[in-house]
Amino acid sequence: SISSFNVCGKTNSLFIFNNTISYHGDWKALGDKDYHGLVINNHVKFVWILENTFAFNEGDGLQINSIPTKPAQYLFIGNNTAFNNKQSGFLTNYAQDVIFFQNTAFNHTSLTSSPAPGMGFQYGPERVWFLYNHLYANTNGIIISSKSGPGFDGADTSS
């Protein structure tokens, strides 16, 4: 079991398989600390995230969080489970070419800092696919939010 995992820098060809990433922060706390379970940051490419569990994190279970000038790209998130995270199960910001495939997300309920979706995107990512996922007992299923973010103009969405 891992408390949190952050992938950043010019990382290529990474495979993250069969981990439990949980209890990063206080998932019932008020406020917005963004203590995510797994974070994929700028310049990260060709990543497979398979058969992991993300639970009880004070943020998203998994968040792809790059910026428009240095996007994460070519990410496959498949057959993972996320539950009881404060914000959402799976979320992407700004990334390109992301596939969410056969993931399960449940028990994400709205507190103070999120509409509590099972999964979604915001800030103008490009080419995001949601295929054959199982979302239940969340405040919202999939959230498609703003196409621009703080200090950035997001690209047009084509998802």
Side-chain angles (χ1 to χ4, degrees):
S1 181
I2 300 169
S3 173
S4 69
F5 192 1
N6 193 343
V7 179
C8 56
K10 291 188 177 185
T11 303
N12 286 303
S13 304
L14 181 64
F15 186 70
I16 301 170
F17 175 71
N18 196 26
N19 298 283
T20 297
I21 302 173
S22 58
Y23 295 101
H24 187 212
D26 179 1
W27 73 287
K28 291 187 177 182
L30 300 177
D32 191 10
K33 293 185 181 174
D34 287 341
Y35 293 154
H36 310 301
L38 172 60
V39 178
I40 305 295
N41 281 311
N42 305 328
H43 285 302
V44 176
K45 294 185 180 199
F46 304 107
V47 177
W48 289 68
I49 302 167
L50 299 174
E51 299 183 20
N52 299 282
T53 300
F54 307 99
F56 303 105
N57 294 294
E58 190 178 344
D60 300 312
L62 175 144
Q63 186 179 99
I64 303 161
N65 191 24
S66 58
I67 61 174
T69 57
K70 302 173 186 177
Q73 189 174 22
Y74 310 120
L75 307 171
F76 184 86
I77 296 94
N79 203 25
N80 298 283
T81 301
F83 61 93
N84 290 356
N85 296 290
K86 182 178 177 189
Q87 294 179 358
S88 76
F90 306 93
L91 187 78
T92 186
N93 301 324
Y94 302 119
Q96 298 174 343
D97 306 300
V98 178
I99 299 172
F100 292 99
F101 180 77
Q102 289 187 338
N103 297 287
T104 300
F106 60 95
N107 288 349
H108 297 98
T109 56
S110 188
L111 293 172
T112 59
S113 60
S114 170
M119 55 180 49
F121 71 70
Q122 63 183 354
Y123 305 152
E126 297 178 6
R127 297 173 303 276
V128 177
W129 293 269
F130 301 97
L131 303 169
Y132 306 105
N133 296 287
H134 306 278
L135 311 173
Y136 60 93
N138 301 294
T139 300
N140 290 287
I142 297 175
I143 291 288
I144 307 299
S145 194
S146 65
K147 66 180 203 172
S148 65
F152 299 100
D153 289 325
D156 291 335
T157 55
S158 56
S159 305

